[in-house]
């Protein structure tokens, strides 16, 4: 009681102490104002953030969101590249027979209870709920060559969508929040995040391929990507970018039992994908930083049997999901992407070194 009274009625201080007290309060409030946002203050962006259930997550590499200038917005009903006066849904539906739905995405419902579905049906996901659902990262090549054309095909012509597109220069475009169920990998759509990497795809020897149009040799023997004139500059974000495949000659390899050849992805694409892979596997605990392997540790080059696919939690190719797909093709460097992403997750150390150092720590203490 005495304590309470003393708190309620502080003893009267001499005037000079009152002045010091006033100054102290002023300083404390002033310091507080430095961290409290003021109405109208802009929140700075670094330009490397992806959006996950409404939260911005850093990747360490350039990301253009669908809300950014130059971004691609898969939430929009209108076609992105049709003449403006004919881009609305009525015209689009009439003119493109493959467009059957104004929305090219829907809700992730699998693995959610009725109560959870009711809670998130308006789009209001929270991160813990999304973490329960997402456990696969599906890699595609786009057979469009550049991301702008990829969005044109997916959104304006095919009734499809994907969370990320990765352009030749390593720019990542995010077109939808990861909370959405994008339409890119049939049976894995509900549980996966998808990325379309700009690349002209993989072909059999006796099959027509677009390599002559898309690749040329410089006088010094280096291979250069030549975007066809009909695509302008291809919408590449980096001015005057010259793209080169990571390996100069087409790479041969077997996918779904058929030998295919394909030009490799660019070093800029690998660098960005490694950072995105590390980011996603950190954000989603069920998504392992790994790929489907045979007993020798080599990537499995065919669709996973249904029960294995059902149980698989990690990074995988579209060809692991469907027998009629060959992407991301024989050139894709699984070990490079996954090993490098693991090193990033382990603070720059290799998996083995990290294990060893942990062992040392355990022995030491
Ligand atoms: Zn695909």
């Amino acid at each position: 009681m005495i304590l309470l009274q003393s708190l309620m009625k502080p003893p009267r201080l001499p005037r000079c102490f009152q002045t010091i007290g006033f100054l102290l309060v002023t300083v404390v409030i002033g310091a507080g104002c430095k961290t409290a946002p003021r109405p109208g203050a802009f929140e700075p962006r670094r330009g490397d953030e992806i959006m996950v259930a409404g939260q911005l997550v850093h990747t360490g590499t350039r990301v253009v969101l669908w809300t950014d200038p130059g971004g691609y917005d898969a939430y929009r009903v209108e076609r992105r590249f049709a003449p403006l006066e004919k881009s609305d849904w009525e015209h689009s539906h009439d003119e493109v027979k493959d467009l059957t739905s104004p929305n090219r995405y829907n809700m992730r419902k699998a693995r959610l209870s009725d109560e959870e579905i009711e809670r998130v049906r308006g789009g209001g996901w929270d991160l813990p709920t999304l973490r329960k659902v997402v456990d696969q990262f599906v890699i595609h090549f786009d057979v469009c060559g550049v991301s702008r054309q990829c969005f044109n095909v997916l959104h304006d012509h095919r009734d499809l969508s994907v969370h990320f597109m990765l352009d030749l220069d390593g720019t990542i475009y995010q077109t939808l929040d990861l909370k959405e169920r994008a339409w890119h990998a049939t049976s894995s759509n509900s549980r996966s995040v998808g990325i379309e990497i700009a690349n002209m795809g993989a072909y059999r020897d006796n099959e027509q391929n677009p390599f002559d149009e898309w690749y040329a040799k410089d006088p010094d023997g280096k291979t250069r990507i030549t975007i066809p004139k009909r695509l302008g500059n291809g919408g590449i974000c980096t001015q005057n970018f010259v793209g080169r495949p990571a390996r100069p000659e087409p790479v041969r390899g077997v996918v779904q039992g058929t030998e295919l050849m394909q030009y490799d992805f660019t070093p800029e694409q690998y660098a960005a994908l490694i950072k995105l892979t590390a980011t996603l596997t950190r954000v989603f605990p069920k998504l392992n930083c790994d790929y489907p392997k045979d007993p020798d540790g080599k990537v499995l080059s065919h669709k996973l049997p249904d029960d294995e696919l059902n149980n698989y939690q990690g990074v995988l190719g579209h060809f692991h999901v469907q027998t009629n797909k060959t992407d991301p093709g024989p050139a894709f460097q699984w070990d490079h992407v996954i090993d490098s992403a693991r090193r990033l997750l382990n603070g720059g150390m290799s998996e083995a070194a990290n294990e060893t150092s942990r062992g040392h720590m355990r022995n030491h203490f």
Side-chain angles (χ1 to χ4, degrees), residues 147-166:
S147 292
R148 184 172 68 186
Q149 183 65 3
C150 177
F151 192 76
N152 185 8
V153 169
L154 294 180
H155 191 80
D156 283 18
H157 295 92
R158 295 284 307 281
D159 241 359
L160 294 172
S161 56
V162 71
H163 302 98
F164 296 111
M165 300 185 299
L166 173 50

Side-chain angles (χ1 to χ4, degrees), residues 138-142 184 195-196 318-319 322 325-328:
V138 182
I139 314 281
H140 306 258
F141 55 49
D142 65 7
H184 60 99
I195 187 164
E196 289 279 2
H318 198 182
F319 69 70
Q322 290 167 245
K325 295 293 173 182
T326 60
D327 52 332

